[in-house]
């Protein structure tokens, strides 16, 4: 099939950027969305046009590197699916597709569709860990953990840090990302000792990075490729209030 | 090149304890005076960087992705082994050691494997303490599953995302140290050279992938933890960015490359669907517990899978290996699938696939049980292929997945360049000619958390601090070389895309240095590869400039290295005149077509030393002695 693509082109962080229209030819329905962009890039290179830059690495939906707003939706139309797992059978000959980078003040554009998500790393550095030095751990089975708690922690921990939650949110809030990490540890005995400081530090870091406030629109949950539940936001809010009570 | 494995003396079970006592220590207050460069933030690099910073060293860590959390360790699904014996089913450090040596087809170093088994238990303790949500039983205690090549249940897992959880654990520990200022993290940074001064590794040259800036970094020791090179085949289960560049540049500066021909082709991957395809996706080996593998008995079978009657199906693994059946080890299953397809019995549009059929398991256990066990894998399969594996058999085909070969290291994980240490998949040490499932995660974390923190102190303590800076002429020289090479890539101005060169190289390697190899194919490849490389430097099309975010340039540099490295792989495959593990040389097989190992002439590690451009590298051998585990022929009949 042949497609018309409207793609955000921006040479670097200082460039203003604009949408540019390309025709992509000979796209097979079996291709993944990123393979379709590979084909487009080959076609551009043949014409000596700078290929479109986009982030990607594992191409199996787990590293969190790929992004893209596709026709207004983070990671495109399929639910619980990253861009690299979206396949072209979703589209038909003649379709027009709008492709843009994550939009958020906290994620500045580096080039074209590539953004800087360093803010997420800095939030993690402020408290997204259990402070245990290598070598000082007790036997792994010393503390049994109820299966439901472990499963809940796992559901929170499955966040891939892609930033879709922020990109889809009208307020560009990072609540779901932060809540997932806070809740993972809050549901485990290992996370208890530092739980107050953790939630306070991570929330403060989130504010410092310029992410917006959460107004419970739940767009984040719908956009999350790992289906991380917005219930964790409620859990984080409880943790945050409890931490404030002396 | 001198290969001294530095194996401690005495009984294998006491070696690590003795060695730890014998090694030099560094006073806690002095540690902060030493700077260590860690290239790679996967399980191996991430765990090393975090632990070394906890100990007080100044650490700089590098990765090519935008965050250390995205290293390809993240993609591991299945699990991690440890000799905890929580199931009380007879496991022990010794048994894990035994299984790993035997699984590796007797081509690994006993001392290293024993240490790996010994520290495996500490890994699980550490990971649980970090808050990694491993799967648990209703009792609240840790759950285990079994994996190929073992008769005990020793594999720990976190849903189907074990690698992700382990990596996020290491990433958390690393983040904590970055937050404290103990680690300086350099993301979107690619290492392009290593700097050796007075015979010691003293630094690296990197290119900032966003700005193109070439930078020198000085250290008292360098650690490479840059992963495997399966992407030499173009299509593999690795991430798009996985490369041999860091390891290969170190090789060119004098680090020996060990067993480059040992690669693992994983039997259960989704087959290639078209020419445009950029990568292959793994389906966990665990599927083989309930799926039955078959091909039609008749060539050119046109009917849909479900219409092929029972007596016209060949369940070839069950037929050939009745006692292991569909759970035959990876190397054997992969080779059998290839044989079937080569004989014209393959399925799917391309004929490069075999069926993995759940019909009988669903009949026996019900769809819900199968869904419970493999639901997420079935979904992933359907998303990619648009076929429903509950009603139509899956199609699978082998794909390059892991590389047992890597930079040669001694017992201290140091390469032949003093001060250059190599961890994780990037080194060669523990898996011999075939890696057992769930043991790469174990090795990466063992190296990073529990081995290198001890052995690097021993190295550092023996060398005085000398105030080395990046103004040293060797750094300037290396920077200039990197800049020249980049300029050269950008000025080829050819007409053929970098990707097409990579594809063609991959094809050569897959056909001739993949699942089965023979002298003729390898000799031919050794002619084709240099010709392709020549054409690359004449005719590759690399657009843009250095001073920008330039993904074509990035790719071109990696492909250029693969084009050189592939030759070393083929040479190695040619020299190894036996079939062992993942290395099946067609000339060396039994009458029944099974691998024929040659312990008389080939019981060694082959190590290659770079001798200059367009010159054949020199071959060295580290003999392997098996004192604990008796050399036997593996049989799966
Ligand atoms: C799909 C898949 C599933 C797997 N499943 C399992 C499993 O279930 N159990 C198991 O035990 N093993 C499994 N393995 C194997 C295992 O995951 C890997 O061997 C292991 O994670 C490698 O870890 P590492 O730290 O050595 O390398 P990686 O995790 O690959 O990390 C490499 C690091 O080096 C950096 N890097 C690379 N090159 C450069 C450069 N030139 N400059 C700067 N930085 C660089 C990267 O940015 C990255 O940070 C699986 C592998 C794959 C591909
Ligand atoms: S590329 Fe890794 S999640 Fe999409």
């Amino acid at each position: 099939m042949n497609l018309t693509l409207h793609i955000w082109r921006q040479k670097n962080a200082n460039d203003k950027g604009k949408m540019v229209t390309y025709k992509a030819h000979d796209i097979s329905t079996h291709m993944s969305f990123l393979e379709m962009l590979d084909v487009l890039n080959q076609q551009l290179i043949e014409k000596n046009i700078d290929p479109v830059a986009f982030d990607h690495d594992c191409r199996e939906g787990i590293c969190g590197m790929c992004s893209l707003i596709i026709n207004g939706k983070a990671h495109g139309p399929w639910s619980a699916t990253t861009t690299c797992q979206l396949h072209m059978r979703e589209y038909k000959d003649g379709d027009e597709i709008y492709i843009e980078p994550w939009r958020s003040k906290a994620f500045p554009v580096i080039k074209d569709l590539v953004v800087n998500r360093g803010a997420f790393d800095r939030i993690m550095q402020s408290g997204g860990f259990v402070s245990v030095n290598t070598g000082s751990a007790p036997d792994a089975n010393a503390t049994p953990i109820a299966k439901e708690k472990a499963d809940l922690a796992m559901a929170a921990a499955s966040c891939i840090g892609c930033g879709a939650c922020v990109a889809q949110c009208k307020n560009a809030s990072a609540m779901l990302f932060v809540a997932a990490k806070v809740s993972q540890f809050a549901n485990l005995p290992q996370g208890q000792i530092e739980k107050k400081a953790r939630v306070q530090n991570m929330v403060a870091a989130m504010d410092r990075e310029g992410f917006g406030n959460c107004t419970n629109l739940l767009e984040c949950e719908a956009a999350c490729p790992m289906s991380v539940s917005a219930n964790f936001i409620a859990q984080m809010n409880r943790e945050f209030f409890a931490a404030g009570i002396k | 090149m001198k290969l001294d494995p530095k194996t401690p003396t005495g009984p294998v079970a006491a070696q690590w304890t003795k060695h730890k006592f014998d090694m030099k220590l560094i006073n806690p207050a002095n540690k902060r005076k030493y700077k260590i460069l860690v290239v790679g933030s996967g399980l191996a690099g991430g765990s090393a960087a975090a632990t070394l910073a906890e100990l007080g060293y100044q650490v700089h860590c590098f990765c090519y992705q935008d965050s250390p959390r995205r290293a390809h360790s993240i993609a591991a699904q299945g699990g991690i082994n440890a000799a905890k014996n929580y199931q009380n089913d007879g496991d022990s450090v010794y048994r894990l050691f035994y299984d790993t040596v035997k699984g590796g087809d007797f081509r690994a170093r006993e001392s290293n494997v024993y240490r790996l088994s010994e520290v495996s238990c500490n890994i699980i303790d550490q990971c649980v303490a970090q808050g990694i949500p491993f799967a648990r039983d209703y009792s609240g205690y840790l759950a285990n599953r079994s994996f190929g090549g073992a008769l005990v249940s020793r594999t720990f897992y976190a849903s189907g995302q074990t690698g992700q959880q382990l990596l996020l654990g290491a990433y958390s520990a690393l983040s904590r140290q970055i937050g404290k200022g103990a680690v300086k993290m350099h993301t979107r940074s690619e290492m392009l050279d290593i700097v050796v001064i007075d015979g010691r590794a003293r630094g690296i040259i990197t290119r900032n992938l966003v700005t193109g800036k070439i930078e020198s970094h000085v250290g008292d020791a360098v650690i490479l933890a840059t992963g495997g090179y399966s992407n030499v085949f173009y299509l593999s289960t690795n991430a798009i960015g996985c490369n041999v560049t860091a390891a290969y540049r170190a090789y060119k500066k004098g680090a020996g490359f060990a067993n480059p021909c040992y690669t693992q082709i994983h039997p259960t991957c989704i087959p290639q669907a078209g020419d445009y395809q950029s990568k292959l996706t793994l389906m966990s080996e665990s599927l083989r517990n309930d799926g039955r593998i078959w091909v039609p008995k008749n060539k050119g079978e046109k009917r849909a899978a479900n219409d092929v009657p029972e007596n016209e199906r060949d369940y070839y693994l069950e037929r050939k290996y009745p006692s292991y059946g569909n759970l035959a080890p990876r190397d054997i299953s992969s080779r059998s699938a290839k044989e079937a397809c080569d004989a014209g019995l393959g399925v799917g549009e391309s004929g490069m696939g075999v069926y993995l059929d759940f019909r009988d398991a669903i009949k026996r256990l019900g769809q819900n049980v199968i869904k419970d066990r493999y639901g997420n894998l079935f979904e992933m399969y359907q998303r990619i292929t648009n076929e429903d594996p509950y009603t139509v058999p899956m199609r699978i085909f082998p794909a390059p997945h892991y590389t047992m070969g890597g930079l040669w290291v001694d017992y201290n994980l140091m390469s032949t360049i003093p001060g250059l240490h190599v961890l994780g998949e990037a080194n060669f040490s523990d898996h011999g000619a075939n890696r057992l499932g769930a043991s790469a995660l174990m090795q990466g974390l063992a190296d990073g958390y529990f081995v290198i923190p001890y052995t690097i102190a021993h190295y550092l303590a023996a060398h005085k601090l000398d105030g080395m800076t990046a103004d040293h002429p060797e750094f300037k020289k290396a920077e200039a070389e990197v800049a020249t090479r980049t300029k050269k890539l950008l000025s080829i101005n050819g007409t053929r895309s970098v990707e097409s060169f990579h594809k063609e190289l991959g094809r050569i390697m897959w056909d001739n240095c993949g699942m089965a190899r023979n002298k003729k194919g390898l000799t031919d490849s050794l002619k084709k590869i240099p010709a392709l490389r020549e054409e690359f430097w004449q005719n590759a099309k690399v657009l843009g400039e250095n001073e920008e975010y330039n993904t074509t340039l990035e790719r071109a540099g990696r492909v250029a290295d693969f084009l050189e490295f592939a030759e070393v792989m083929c040479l190695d495959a040619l020299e190894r005149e036996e079939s062992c593990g993942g290395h099946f040389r067609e000339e060396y097989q039994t009458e029944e077509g099974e691998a024929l190992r040659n312990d008389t002439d080939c019981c060694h590690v082959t190590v290659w030393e770079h001798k200059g451009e367009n010159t054949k590298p020199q071959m060295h051998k580290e003999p392997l002695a098996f004192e604990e585990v008796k050399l036997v022929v593996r049989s799966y009949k």
Side-chain angles (χ1 to χ4, degrees):
Chain A
M1 61 185 162
N2 297 321
L3 301 167
T4 304
L5 306 172
H6 306 280
I7 302 181
W8 182 258
R9 300 301 313 252
Q10 180 175 341
K11 207 158 167 35
N12 52 46
N14 302 322
D15 183 24
K16 263 180 68 189
K18 59 173 190 291
M19 294 300 281
V20 177
T21 303
Y22 300 103
K23 300 270 180 210
H25 309 289
D26 302 324
I27 301 301
S28 142
T29 50
H30 296 301
M31 286 178 187
S32 71
F33 197 84
L34 296 186
E35 283 164 351
M36 181 275 290
L37 287 181
D38 290 342
V39 170
L40 171 75
N41 275 342
Q42 287 307 316
Q43 293 169 356
L44 293 181
I45 290 172
E46 266 162 40
K47 293 185 222 152
N48 291 322
I49 299 172
D50 191 23
V52 179
F54 58 91
D55 261 332
H56 62 107
D57 201 27
C58 76
R59 296 204 177 188
E60 48 187 273
I62 192 72
C63 74
M65 189 105 178
C66 64
S67 52
L68 308 188
I69 299 279
I70 302 167
N71 287 340
K73 291 195 95 165
H75 288 305
W78 291 5
S79 73
T81 304
T82 53
T83 292
C84 61
Q85 293 292 292
L86 172 63
H87 278 68
M88 294 311 291
R89 59 177 176 274
E90 168 69 18
Y91 301 94
K92 54 182 197 309
D93 190 42
D95 272 358
E96 297 201 27
I97 308 177
Y98 289 78
I99 308 170
E100 295 166 87
W102 282 174
R103 299 276 188 204
S104 156
K105 204 171 70 196
F107 292 160
V109 172
I110 290 174
K111 179 176 179 179
D112 299 339
L113 305 169
V114 176
V115 301
N116 181 345
R117 286 169 286 200
F120 271 10
D121 284 328
R122 290 187 292 276
I123 292 175
M124 281 293 291
Q125 289 151 19
S126 74
F129 44 76
V130 172
S131 298
V132 52
N133 281 1
T134 303
S136 52
D139 184 84
N141 254 348
T143 313
I145 301 173
K147 185 174 175 354
E148 307 79 67
K149 285 284 186 189
D151 288 349
L152 200 59
M154 178 63 220
S158 67
C159 165
I160 58 174
C162 63
C165 46
V166 174
Q168 197 65 45
C169 175
K170 289 190 178 57
N171 310 321
S173 165
M175 279 296 261
L176 190 60
F177 171 76
V178 179
K181 203 34 83 180
V182 166
S183 300
Q184 175 193 342
F185 294 133
N187 284 305
L188 295 171
Q190 289 81 8
Q192 298 309 306
I193 291 174
E194 298 167 289
K195 77 186 221 165
K196 278 190 182 184
R198 177 179 305 114
V199 68
Q200 287 173 332
N201 291 339
M202 289 183 80
V203 168
M206 172 174 80
D207 292 343
R208 253 194 327 272
E209 295 293 343
F211 290 104
N213 291 326
C214 173
T215 51
N216 291 317
L217 299 171
L218 303 191
E219 298 272 10
C220 51
E221 187 185 62
C224 177
M226 303 307 282
S227 306
V228 172
S229 164
N231 290 340
F232 293 124
I233 296 182
Q235 175 164 24
M236 175 167 96
N237 283 333
R238 286 196 301 276
E239 297 288 330
F240 188 73
F241 289 123
I245 300 165
K246 291 278 148 52
Chain B
M1 180 175 285
K2 209 171 126 269
L3 298 175
D4 177 3
K6 302 222 172 71
T7 308
T9 51
V12 72
Q15 284 175 348
W16 180 230
T17 307
K18 173 178 178 298
H19 193 64
K20 279 194 285 189
F21 182 75
D22 289 344
M23 281 186 293
K24 295 194 184 83
L25 298 174
I26 295 178
N27 161 350
N30 281 341
K31 288 203 179 88
R32 68 187 152 79
K33 297 180 188 152
Y34 291 93
K35 185 156 147 193
I36 303 173
L37 309 178
V38 182
V39 189
S41 66
L43 287 183
S47 60
T51 305
L52 292 169
E54 286 165 11
L55 288 168
Y57 297 105
Q58 297 172 50
V59 177
H60 283 236
C61 183
F62 303 81
C63 70
Y64 71 74
Q65 294 93 344
D66 72 331
S67 162
R69 68 180 292 153
R70 308 205 200 280
H72 199 52
S73 294
I74 201 101
Q77 303 167 348
I80 176 167
N81 286 334
K84 280 288 197 184
N85 193 29
Y86 283 158
Q87 307 305 324
N88 199 26
D89 58 358
D91 200 10
S92 62
V93 167
Y94 197 88
R95 189 176 296 281
L96 176 54
F97 157 70
Y98 176 88
D99 288 347
T100 308
V101 168
K102 183 176 164 210
D105 216 354
F106 301 92
R107 290 295 175 265
R109 207 187 275 146
E110 278 191 340
S111 54
N112 285 56
V113 179
Y114 195 92
R115 174 178 62 192
L116 173 66
S117 311
E118 198 175 332
V119 303
S120 67
C121 296
N122 305 78
I123 296 173
I124 303 302
D125 297 343
Q126 185 64 30
C127 291
V128 167
Q130 288 172 343
I132 291 176
F134 282 117
R136 288 176 183 268
D137 292 330
Y138 282 100
S139 61
Y141 291 102
L142 289 158
N144 289 117
R145 54 165 65 139
S146 16
F147 246 69
L151 298 171
V152 294
S153 278
R154 62 159 77 99
T155 305
F156 294 78
Y157 62 100
S159 187
Q161 292 149 250
T162 316
Q164 181 201 26
Q165 293 310 309
L166 295 174
L167 184 64
L168 293 183
Y171 164 72
S172 283
L174 178 62
S175 295
R176 176 172 160 240
Q177 297 304 321
I178 298 172
K180 285 182 173 178
V183 175
K184 170 101 181 73
M185 187 71 217
H186 305 259
T187 60
R188 296 200 198 261
S189 266
E190 182 165 37
M191 178 197 132
L192 292 180
D193 210 350
I194 123 153
V195 181
V196 181
I197 299 174
D198 298 331
R200 292 164 53 204
R202 291 313 305 271
I204 61 171
I205 309 293
T206 58
R207 179 172 176 274
N208 179 318
L209 296 177
V210 177
T211 63
K213 190 157 177 255
I214 310 286
E215 292 168 349
S216 283
H217 303 271
V218 184
D220 296 289
V222 178
I223 294 175
L224 290 192
T226 46
Y229 51 83
S230 293
N231 276 349
V232 70
F233 294 103
Y234 183 72
L235 285 180
S236 81
T237 65
N238 280 11
I240 304 296
C242 292
N243 63 84
V244 77
T245 291
Y248 190 71
R249 303 282 168 101
Y251 160 78
K252 286 180 96 169
K253 283 286 167 84
F257 211 110
N259 299 333
C261 81
Y262 284 166
T263 55
Q264 180 162 75
I265 315 290
H266 196 292
T268 53
C269 302
I270 303 180
Q272 185 177 358
D275 245 7
Y276 53 81
Q277 196 152 328
S278 56
K279 80 155 279 160
L280 295 168
T281 303
L282 179 83
M283 292 275 102
S284 169
E285 173 167 283
S286 60
L287 291 170
R288 291 197 280 143
N289 280 296
D290 288 306
R292 295 181 71 195
I293 294 176
W294 64 276
V295 290
K297 278 189 183 157
N298 304 316
K299 264 194 215 175
E301 175 62 70
K302 286 278 172 302
R303 286 170 290 185
N306 288 331
D307 297 336
V308 178
E310 201 57 24
N311 61 359
E312 289 179 44
R313 298 174 173 203
D314 180 12
Y315 294 92
Y316 59 83
L317 283 179
E318 297 172 23
R319 172 172 60 76
K320 293 202 286 193
Y321 308 98
S323 59
Y324 277 70
N326 294 298
L327 276 173
R330 289 179 178 177
D331 45 349
I332 301 212
S333 313
S334 292
R335 220 152 41 232
S336 303
K338 178 183 185 309
E339 272 165 26
C341 296
D342 286 351
L345 300 168
V347 301
E349 236 169 84
S350 64
M352 287 296 159
V354 300
Y355 289 126
L356 176 62
D357 198 340
F358 291 86
R359 183 194 64 183
D360 296 349
I362 291 175
K363 223 183 278 166
R364 192 175 71 244
L365 303 163
Q367 179 150 333
N368 280 342
V369 175
I370 295 301
K371 189 168 182 182
D372 210 41
R373 287 187 190 165
Y374 313 111
N376 59 340
L377 291 170
F378 277 41
E379 268 170 37
M380 182 154 156
Y381 181 86
Q382 184 158 16
R383 219 177 285 136
I384 292 173
T385 63
N386 202 23
E387 289 172 2
D388 174 14
Y390 291 105
T391 54
V392 184
M394 278 186 181
R395 288 173 296 108
I396 54 163
F397 197 66
H401 171 64
Y402 182 85
T403 54
M404 284 77 70
L407 291 177
W408 184 88
V409 289
D410 63 15
Y411 190 71
N412 294 324
L413 302 182
M414 190 153 86
S415 71
T416 54
I417 301 175
L420 177 69
H421 298 75
V422 191
L423 320 184
E425 192 172 338
N427 75 21
F428 88 105
S429 66
D430 298 348
H431 309 294
N434 175 55
R435 179 177 68 79
L436 290 183
S439 60
L441 302 181
M442 168 172 74
Q443 183 224 332
L445 291 180
D447 289 358
Y449 283 134
F450 296 107
V451 179
I452 197 68
Y454 291 90
T455 59
I456 209 161
H458 183 65
Y459 168 77
L460 292 171
H463 295 94
K464 283 212 182 71
L465 290 161
D466 57 5
M468 173 70 64
T469 72
D471 294 329
H472 190 284
E474 283 299 324
F475 275 95
K476 293 294 157 218
K477 193 172 134 218
E479 275 185 28
E481 279 167 10
V482 166
T484 308
R485 188 181 154 94
T486 308
K487 214 182 256 157
K488 200 170 148 202
L489 283 168
L490 287 166
S491 59
I492 302 174
N493 245 328
T495 56
R496 190 175 159 189
S497 76
V498 169
E499 196 160 325
S500 78
F501 283 100
H502 195 179
K503 265 190 196 166
E504 185 173 339
L505 175 69
R507 194 75 236 178
I508 296 174
M509 295 306 282
W510 177 246
D511 288 342
N512 302 296
C513 200
M515 271 184 283
R517 299 110 189 245
N518 61 51
K519 187 168 181 181
K520 182 173 177 308
L522 290 166
T523 320
D524 284 352
S525 306
L526 285 169
K527 294 200 191 84
K528 283 186 197 152
I529 298 165
L532 186 65
R533 189 166 64 230
E534 176 80 21
E535 191 196 337
F536 175 89
W537 285 103
Q538 298 295 327
N539 196 24
K541 186 165 188 171
V542 188
L543 294 179
E545 303 153 33
N546 175 58
E547 286 73 28
E548 62 173 347
Y549 187 81
N550 186 339
T551 46
T552 322
L553 176 61
E554 239 175 77
R555 184 77 177 262
R558 292 174 192 154
V559 172
D561 286 330
F562 278 133
L563 280 165
E564 293 184 22
F565 172 69
E567 216 177 319
V568 191
M569 266 177 88
C570 291
L571 266 180
D572 189 48
L574 191 61
E575 288 291 344
R576 184 160 286 281
E577 298 187 319
E578 65 167 345
S579 292
C580 62
H583 174 68
F584 187 79
R585 271 287 294 269
E586 286 166 353
E587 299 93 322
Y588 307 97
Q589 48 179 306
T590 64
E591 268 167 27
E592 300 97 50
E594 297 299 331
L596 192 61
R597 220 174 57 209
N598 179 352
D599 292 333
T600 319
D601 304 313
C602 301
C603 196
H604 58 251
V605 179
T606 313
V607 185
W608 296 91
E609 179 182 6
H610 182 66
K611 283 287 173 188
E613 303 293 334
N614 300 317
T615 313
K616 191 177 168 186
Q618 191 179 343
M619 184 172 70
H620 302 267
K621 291 175 184 176
E622 178 201 334
L624 292 169
F626 291 88
E627 288 164 7
E628 285 293 329
V629 186
K630 232 177 65 217
L631 278 162
V632 289
V633 175
R634 298 192 308 164
S635 168
Y636 299 97
K637 297 248 165 183

